[in-house]
Amino acid sequence: MYFEAWRIETRNLFVLDQAYLNLYARNGTSEKEIVCLHCDPSLLPDAEHAKYKRGPHIHMSIAGSPYDNAHIALNGPDLVPTLKSTDALHTSLEWGIAMIRDEILVLMRGQK
């Protein structure tokens, strides 16, 4: 599941607040979240955990509490290049998606 949350800043300016990619494993009729790749680029730089949350980061949902709440940042410590444009952010998210494909989904397929 993928979604983006945008808000209108001015008449001609939209701001990306959140981008989320959630991957689930299906077992019969039930689903369990495995991993979440997301970012909150419009967070203020001094917000709690902003250095991990503003850029693309992963939550290993399958790990369970409290580890599923950890923000595993994919970019850092300088987020300026990642957050300079929507294209740069999407390129970074694309890299994270490829990593999930190569490092998690491949392992999941091997378990079947």
Side-chain angles (χ1 to χ4, degrees):
M1 173 179 71
Y2 180 79
F3 76 90
E4 294 180 348
W6 293 79
R7 67 180 153 81
I8 299 174
E9 181 97 348
T10 65
R11 180 181 171 129
N12 295 317
L13 178 64
F14 294 83
V15 175
L16 177 63
D17 282 328
Q18 299 173 320
Y20 275 72
L21 174 68
N22 304 79
L23 275 77
Y24 295 85
R26 181 173 280 185
N27 184 3
T29 59
S30 66
E31 295 178 344
K32 183 171 187 164
E33 185 174 274
I34 303 299
V35 64
C36 175
L37 168 66
H38 72 104
C39 62
D40 305 292
S42 64
L43 274 179
L44 295 176
D46 61 349
E48 185 177 18
H49 305 290
K51 65 183 179 180
Y52 307 118
K53 293 174 68 174
R54 292 180 70 217
H57 62 280
I58 288 179
H59 293 274
M60 288 303 301
S61 312
I62 194 74
S65 183
Y67 312 107
D68 57 342
N69 289 319
H71 304 95
I72 303 168
L74 302 181
N75 302 91
D78 183 9
L79 287 173
V80 172
T82 301
L83 300 177
K84 72 179 179 182
S85 70
T86 307
D87 286 341
L89 180 58
H90 281 152
T91 297
S92 184
L93 287 167
E94 183 179 323
W95 185 86
I97 291 166
M99 181 185 64
I100 289 170
R101 179 197 63 216
D102 297 343
E103 298 295 325
I104 297 174
L105 295 181
V106 166
L107 294 174
M108 289 175 63
R109 286 186 195 123
Q111 291 180 351
K112 292 184 177 184

